[in-house]
Amino acid sequence: MKLLSVLPFVASLVAAAPSSESLTSRALSTPNVTPSTVTVKGVSLLGSGCPAGTADVQIDATGTLLEVTFSEYIIQTGPGTRASDWRKNCKLTINLAYNEGFQFATLATEMRGFAQIPKGSRGTCTNVFDFTGESGQTQYSISLPGEREGPFSLKADPDLVSWSPCGGTTAILNQNTQCNISPTQSQALIAVDRISGKITVSVSLEWRKCR
């Protein structure tokens, strides 16, 4: 398995930290309510899995689906690989702008990519979300046990969620994506899908009105 013969990465999804009581008490849950405008105002990247210019963030017209794609994210183990190949991560800082009077949480998450994992090996990917200035986290984890080879699409739902703060028109959503493979002696791979050339993390957003 040669590095140049594959495209990069995968990852994510379950268990979440609870939102704080003070945060919950400041908002009233209202189903199927969304702001009229939701936009991505800026994104910054940091990590071994996302060199500059290799990750992209988009939000759909309804403001309820956030999609993050990675084009240079490869984890591989086996002969000729190094510790820096066995684990990758990318921390994204996403600035979302929307109409005043709303807050949101990350819900169901889907991760799509390519994996080649032999029997006896296992890949693991996690996506952790939190809001700048808030203490709660929402975490999603997926497992890729061997033996498997081909595209994957794995979904997860959190047991508990954290909400963005009320009282403003922007929120900084932090996403930390990490993937690793063990044991490191066997030849294995988590990478971008060979057709799309990307690893994709799709995140459903739920909105509610603040009190």
Side-chain angles (χ1 to χ4, degrees):
M1 186 186 312
K2 297 181 180 179
L3 178 63
L4 296 179
S5 67
V6 295
L7 301 162
F9 168 28
V10 169
S12 209
L13 319 87
V14 108
S19 55
S20 66
E21 286 296 323
S22 61
L23 202 59
T24 303
S25 64
R26 295 192 329 236
L28 178 65
S29 182
T30 307
N32 303 319
V33 173
T34 60
S36 59
T37 302
V38 183
T39 58
V40 177
K41 301 297 289 186
V43 179
S44 64
L45 312 174
L46 180 65
S48 58
C50 54
T54 64
D56 183 60
V57 179
Q58 299 290 332
I59 193 162
D60 76 341
T62 68
T64 61
L65 182 65
L66 187 72
E67 187 170 270
V68 182
T69 57
F70 304 90
S71 59
E72 295 291 335
Y73 200 122
I74 297 176
I75 303 93
Q76 57 181 352
T77 58
T81 62
R82 301 175 296 176
S84 58
D85 300 317
W86 306 337
R87 179 186 298 271
K88 294 291 175 69
N89 86 292
C90 182
K91 182 175 182 180
L92 298 96
T93 302
I94 305 167
N95 185 358
L96 287 181
Y98 46 87
N99 303 97
E100 188 174 5
F102 289 88
Q103 65 176 168
F104 69 94
T106 61
L107 294 182
T109 300
E110 179 181 10
M111 197 164 192
R112 300 185 298 276
F114 179 89
Q116 185 175 341
I117 312 289
K119 185 176 181 179
S121 294
R122 178 180 296 271
T124 302
C125 293
T126 63
N127 285 293
V128 178
F129 295 88
D130 64 71
F131 296 98
T132 297
E134 302 294 328
S135 59
Q137 288 186 337
T138 305
Q139 178 172 308
Y140 308 83
S141 297
I142 63 168
S143 180
L144 295 160
E147 180 177 11
R148 67 184 301 151
E149 180 175 358
F152 68 86
S153 177
L154 298 174
K155 299 179 181 180
D157 299 311
D159 292 328
L160 299 168
V161 300
S162 296
W163 291 85
S164 65
C166 285
T169 59
T170 62
I172 304 298
L173 175 64
N174 303 301
Q175 174 184 343
N176 191 8
T177 294
Q178 300 183 63
C179 288
N180 70 279
I181 301 171
S182 62
T184 58
Q185 300 90 339
S186 300
Q187 190 175 48
L189 173 75
I190 298 174
V192 300
D193 182 76
R194 289 176 171 175
I195 296 177
S196 68
K198 299 174 182 178
I199 278 181
T200 303
V201 180
S202 298
V203 187
S204 297
L205 304 183
E206 181 177 4
W207 294 88
R208 66 187 185 184
K209 287 186 176 181
C210 297
R211 294 190 180 196

